[in-house]
Amino acid sequence: MVNYLVQLQIWILKKALDEKGIEVDKKKIDKADIDSLGSYEVTIKLYQQISAKLKVNVEAE
């Protein structure tokens, strides 16, 4: 069940990035431990030793 939730979070993050015009392979998104509303830091692996950190705000609709 946990693996499913992690995959769902990655899919949602990828979709949000795609909507902003940022193309990222979902395999490059490090698993995010998002479990409630708030701000989180997500790491995206760009190259072998280069990564980017994104701030993700989870808000209610």
Side-chain angles (χ1 to χ4, degrees):
M1 179 80 166
V2 173
N3 191 32
Y4 172 76
L5 293 176
V6 169
Q7 292 302 317
L8 181 61
Q9 290 173 358
I10 290 172
W11 181 81
I12 292 169
L13 288 169
K14 169 135 178 58
K15 185 176 177 185
L17 290 170
D18 287 345
E19 288 175 1
K20 296 288 183 183
I22 302 170
E23 236 178 89
V24 174
D25 182 357
K26 68 180 181 179
K27 296 175 191 170
K28 301 290 184 176
I29 300 173
D30 206 9
K31 70 176 185 175
D33 294 325
I34 299 171
D35 57 0
S36 63
L37 301 178
S39 295
Y40 297 89
E41 194 171 87
V42 176
T43 303
I44 298 177
K45 299 171 190 166
L46 302 173
Y47 298 103
Q48 202 166 25
Q49 294 182 359
I50 300 173
S51 60
K53 295 187 185 268
L54 299 178
K55 183 178 178 184
V56 176
N57 293 317
V58 179
E59 302 173 346
E61 287 188 295

